[in-house]
Amino acid sequence: MPDSRRQPSPRASGSAPRKRPATRPPAKPKRHWLRWTIVIALLLIAVGVGVFVVLLARTTVPTANEVVTSEATIVYWADGKNEIGRLGESTRRSVPLDEVPLQVQQAILAAEDRTFYEHGGISPVGIARSVWNNVTGGSTQGGSTITQQYAKNAFLTQERSWDRKISEALLAIKLETIVSKDEILENYLNTIYFGRGADGIEAASIAYFGVPASELTLEQGAVLAAIIKSPSDMATAEGLTRLEARWEYVLDGMLEQGWITPQERNAAEFPKLKKLKAKDRLAGQTGFLLTMVENQLIDLGFDETEIQRGGLRVVSTFDRAAQRAATAAVRKVGPTSRTKGLRIGLASVRPGTGEVVAIYGGDNFIDDQINNATRQFAQAGSTFKPFALAAATEDGVLLNSVWPGDSPATVDGYTFSNYGDRSYGDVTLLEATENSINSAYVQLESDIGVSNVADAAVRAGVPASTPGMNLKNLDLTFVLGTASPSGLDMANAYATFADSGVRFETSVVKKIVGPNDGLLFELNPKKNRVFEASVADTVTYALNRVVTNGTGSTALALGRPAAAKTGTTDDNKSAWFVGYTPQLATAVLMAKEDSDGIPVSLSGTGGLSTVTGGSFPAAIWTAYMTAALDGQPIEDFPPPPDDAIQPLDCPTSITSDLEEVPIGCPTPEVIPEFSNEPSAVDTLPSASPDEVAPVETPSQSPDDALFSPEPPPTQVPSPPIEEGRP
């Protein structure tokens, strides 16, 4: 049986003992940290990319903010081409990209984003530079792409923060996936700010060069591109040197990109910029005109948002030449001395349409926003007598009927006087109209009824709500003009007579076009016959005689047939001249107020002891109408019916609601044709010295340059035959 004991190894029995092996060198440590760092970095990148992808997927392009989408509502003159001004602060008017010259587009890219058509919305190099500058406290400029700039302007705020930068980048990338490059560039050009209050390239083109964007040259486009970097600096005169340097940079960039040739680069010269005018957009009459347009837009149902930011294009009824003539007339022949507190208003309306052609609201809208042409504040005086004449004509009263003209007079217990307390004896109704004889007209009003006179005024166009026209409590003073209509009210009322008894509502808006060229409104004047033609034409005939024979003789200088009426109130607190030709009806009024808005006397204004309707108001009216009608044909009024002026049979009487009033029988007279020549019959007596005063003419202003017709004579008579409210 073999020995189960362990046998020694051969080495143990016959050889020397085995030596212990030598110690091994220590193993090199494995670089697990590097591996894990790479893994972690890759994981972080993957997570970051995943998060970015998720955020991008969840990012939606919001509605562009109002600052960017808003467009100014532009108001044009009646020609539909020249701009009066804009409603709202925005100056933006968006234009399609194809209306911006290619080299102008390239100039913008050279200045702001030369790789615009190559990147996907963001520039990694630009972002890295932005991060480095923010970390190191360097410049805050970051090299944002045009897409990023548009995303920031249209959808975000101007806040400088990481959150906004991340949102900006996400939106930029998202935009590139859903919107074409051309659309992004178009939106950018229409939203970027260029200084001088110009939003968008169209407004900038007009602000700096006075041309639409479609007419910009290479050099001009490079200027606008250069300004974008710092409009608050480079848009100023002080920043011109820096603007020129940036302009050179833009052109060099275009050359580098191959967008212009070396010859074009060498030939480029810095263009001349429009002079920057420190002028308020509402100065002068502009504010009055725009306010009237805005008020009518509201009446038509447009809300404030549509008006201020809706991009409407409004063609007004205002005629540019007529408007300048209105301003020039006030400046050239209006009073220039002792004018503290003086208010002058002018309103001009086109008979047959109701279109407001021109207004004069005050010296300067910036200084005083009260519109003297539309405000109801000055008593109308005897300009109300034609309404009594119209009511009487409807009642069968003839112009040759005879009325008492003595002064003082008492009618139905009411005692009053004529102007200057002058007595005329018995006069025809035509003579009473020519010379504005109070006693005859108050008796006429008593006979036909005050309510009928008021009704005629309202039908003609004077609002029933006019101050002083309490239709339930009228008295005999009504015909003497105790009510206070606006100049626009009176111009339109007289336009009714000019159009043979057809009234139109006034309008300052002809057409409204929406931002997408859709027609939203077009004026369609609606006729409203309020007097028979025979009645209105009879009134016109009598008012023509006021010019040729009576208190309106200053208007003879117009040189064409005109019908008009003067008006002067008690204590000389207001003076009016309202008149018309077949083409135009115009009212001019003057009144004075103290610092508290209380009416005060016009006495002494412009050196006149008494300011009557036949003095400064008539001179302003004549100067304005001469210029406004320049170049238009001379038209005659339609003749009155024969029975309006036929001789009366003696004896005769007029029947009123109260009693039969005997009247005299006039001597038949030959009724002349319409003219603007003074009649040899019933001419005015000469004025006394204190009734004639020179009209001072101020030095010519820029607005006066377009006022070509000669003003009325420098001596403006203050007619002794006028009206006064007792």
Side-chain angles (χ1 to χ4, degrees):
M1 183 174 189
D3 189 357
S4 60
R5 291 177 297 175
R6 184 175 180 176
Q7 299 296 318
S9 68
R11 287 183 240 178
S13 60
S15 61
R18 186 178 59 173
K19 295 182 180 180
R20 297 185 65 176
T23 305
R24 296 177 182 175
K28 293 181 179 179
K30 297 179 179 179
R31 298 183 178 178
H32 298 298
W33 64 270
L34 180 59
R35 184 184 308 155
W36 282 108
T37 299
I38 294 173
V39 170
I40 292 171
L42 291 174
L43 286 173
L44 289 175
I45 291 173
V47 171
V49 171
V51 171
F52 189 83
V53 170
V54 172
L55 290 175
L56 184 62
R58 297 179 62 182
T59 297
T60 58
V61 178
T63 302
N65 63 58
E66 290 182 349
V67 175
V68 171
T69 59
S70 65
E71 288 189 3
T73 287
I74 302 178
V75 180
Y76 297 92
W77 294 102
D79 60 14
K81 298 177 181 178
N82 294 294
E83 182 179 324
I84 296 178
R86 303 187 176 206
L87 303 179
E89 297 297 328
S90 175
T91 59
R92 181 175 294 102
R93 171 58 58 187
S94 296
V95 294
L97 187 62
D98 59 13
E99 288 190 14
V100 181
L102 179 59
Q103 286 191 327
V104 176
Q105 298 178 38
Q106 292 168 335
I108 301 291
L109 298 181
E112 297 297 312
D113 189 356
R114 297 179 186 181
T115 61
F116 172 71
Y117 280 98
E118 300 167 13
H119 61 63
I122 62 174
S123 170
V125 174
I127 291 176
R129 181 170 62 246
S130 177
V131 171
W132 177 254
N133 286 336
N134 279 306
V135 169
T136 60
S139 172
T140 56
Q141 70 175 19
S144 295
T145 66
I146 279 179
T147 310
Q148 286 176 268
Q149 292 183 55
Y150 171 65
K152 177 182 66 176
N153 291 332
F155 310 114
L156 304 173
T157 67
Q158 302 300 313
E159 177 189 5
R160 290 173 177 169
S161 67
W162 286 106
D163 288 344
R164 199 222 70 204
K165 271 290 184 185
I166 293 172
S167 297
E168 178 186 303
L170 288 168
L171 274 172
I173 296 173
K174 188 74 172 184
L175 280 169
E176 294 272 359
T177 66
I178 62 175
V179 180
S180 70
K181 285 283 191 180
D182 283 352
E183 188 173 345
I184 292 172
L185 181 58
E186 177 182 303
N187 291 337
Y188 173 79
L189 291 175
N190 285 317
T191 58
I192 198 69
Y193 181 63
F194 288 89
R196 290 195 177 186
D199 296 302
I201 195 165
E202 178 77 359
S205 180
I206 293 172
Y208 287 93
F209 302 109
V211 298
S214 60
E215 298 179 13
L216 286 170
T217 65
L218 163 64
E219 292 87 348
Q220 293 170 336
V223 168
L224 298 183
I227 286 172
I228 293 174
K229 179 183 178 182
S230 182
S232 60
D233 172 38
M234 296 186 187
T236 64
E238 294 77 9
L240 183 59
T241 301
R242 291 180 289 279
L243 175 59
E244 291 177 344
R246 179 73 174 173
W247 178 78
E248 299 278 358
Y249 165 80
V250 171
L251 291 176
D252 289 342
M254 295 182 71
L255 179 62
E256 179 184 316
Q257 295 295 121
W259 293 332
I260 59 174
T261 65
Q263 291 77 14
E264 288 176 310
R265 174 67 184 92
N266 293 333
E269 295 183 358
F270 192 84
K272 182 179 180 180
L273 306 181
K274 277 182 63 178
K275 185 177 180 181
L276 179 62
K277 296 181 180 179
K279 179 181 178 181
D280 194 293
R281 67 185 182 89
L282 300 178
Q285 300 303 302
T286 302
F288 297 117
L289 302 180
L290 293 181
T291 299
M292 291 177 70
V293 170
E294 183 173 0
N295 289 339
Q296 184 163 341
L297 290 177
I298 293 173
D299 291 341
L300 290 171
F302 292 89
D303 61 33
E304 288 294 333
T305 299
E306 290 175 296
I307 294 171
Q308 298 295 323
R309 298 189 291 271
L312 304 175
R313 281 169 287 170
V314 180
V315 179
S316 76
T317 61
F318 296 118
D319 181 88
R320 192 178 191 181
Q323 183 60 50
R324 290 183 176 179
T327 301
V330 174
R331 291 179 177 176
K332 290 180 74 72
V333 298
T336 58
S337 63
R338 300 184 67 178
T339 58
K340 183 179 180 181
L342 177 65
R343 291 189 174 277
I344 300 176
L346 180 151
S348 192
V349 174
R350 180 170 288 115
T353 66
E355 294 172 284
V356 183
V357 174
I359 61 106
Y360 182 85
D363 289 339
N364 190 341
F365 181 83
I366 301 302
D367 300 329
D368 186 353
Q369 288 78 52
I370 295 176
N371 189 335
N372 298 329
T374 59
R375 179 188 176 202
Q376 298 174 319
F377 72 105
Q379 288 186 326
S382 288
T383 59
F384 260 41
K385 285 175 180 171
F387 305 132
L389 178 57
T393 302
E394 288 181 318
D395 202 37
V397 180
L398 303 181
L399 291 177
N400 277 356
S401 60
V402 177
W403 302 87
D406 287 337
S407 178
T410 300
V411 177
D412 298 341
Y414 169 48
T415 301
F416 55 93
S417 301
N418 292 329
Y419 182 80
D421 201 27
R422 179 180 175 180
S423 288
Y424 295 84
D426 289 343
V427 293
T428 66
L429 182 55
L430 183 60
E431 292 171 326
T433 305
E434 292 171 350
N435 298 323
S436 199
I437 301 174
N438 291 343
S439 53
Y441 261 93
V442 173
Q443 182 64 62
L444 174 70
E445 179 186 42
S446 174
D447 287 355
I448 64 175
V450 180
S451 61
N452 289 327
V453 176
D455 175 67
V458 172
R459 280 186 285 146
V462 179
S465 59
T466 298
M469 277 187 61
N470 184 350
L471 301 183
K472 295 181 179 180
N473 187 28
L474 296 173
D475 58 36
L476 291 178
T477 64
F478 182 79
V479 74
L480 302 181
T482 52
S484 301
S486 71
L488 184 58
D489 294 334
M490 291 301 289
N492 194 44
Y494 275 48
T496 299
F497 296 132
D499 198 38
S500 296
V502 178
R503 190 189 73 208
F504 291 83
E505 297 300 321
T506 58
S507 178
V508 297
V509 175
K510 287 176 67 174
K511 185 167 68 173
I512 304 171
V513 177
N516 297 320
D517 295 331
L519 182 63
L520 304 179
F521 169 83
E522 189 165 26
L523 181 62
N524 181 24
K526 292 180 174 55
K527 294 183 178 181
N528 183 13
R529 175 161 292 283
V530 294
F531 298 108
E532 292 297 325
S534 60
V535 172
D537 294 343
T538 298
V539 173
T540 294
Y541 173 80
L543 296 185
N544 173 249
R545 289 288 293 264
V546 171
V547 174
T548 60
N549 285 48
T551 59
S553 59
T554 298
L556 287 170
L558 181 61
R560 62 175 73 209
K565 186 69 189 74
T566 54
T568 307
T569 59
D570 189 34
D571 296 327
N572 202 199
K573 290 182 179 178
S574 64
W576 290 70
F577 193 88
V578 188
Y580 53 93
T581 66
Q583 301 105 315
L584 213 55
T586 302
V588 178
L589 64 97
M590 291 177 58
K592 258 186 178 180
E593 295 176 339
D594 62 18
S595 57
D596 296 323
I598 305 301
V600 296
S601 175
L602 288 165
S603 179
T605 301
L608 297 183
S609 58
T610 301
V611 178
T612 65
S615 60
F616 286 115
I620 293 170
W621 184 94
T622 305
Y624 162 73
M625 292 286 281
T626 300
L629 293 170
D630 184 41
Q632 296 190 34
I634 295 176
E635 295 185 11
D636 291 323
F637 294 112
D642 293 338
D643 60 0
I645 51 178
Q646 68 181 4
L648 299 175
D649 294 329
C650 298
T652 188
S653 65
I654 295 177
T655 302
S656 71
D657 293 337
L658 301 178
E659 59 182 343
E660 283 198 341
V661 182
I663 57 177
C665 183
T667 301
E669 62 172 310
V670 178
I671 303 298
E673 297 292 331
F674 280 106
S675 71
N676 217 47
E677 297 295 332
S679 170
V681 184
D682 300 329
T683 54
L684 287 173
S686 59
S688 58
D690 68 345
E691 291 167 338
V692 179
V695 171
E696 303 165 66
T697 303
S699 59
Q700 191 179 60
S701 67
D703 282 344
D704 297 334
L706 295 177
F707 184 75
S708 55
E710 290 296 321
T714 55
Q715 296 290 326
V716 178
S718 176
I721 307 174
E722 244 288 11
E723 60 285 339
R725 182 173 63 83

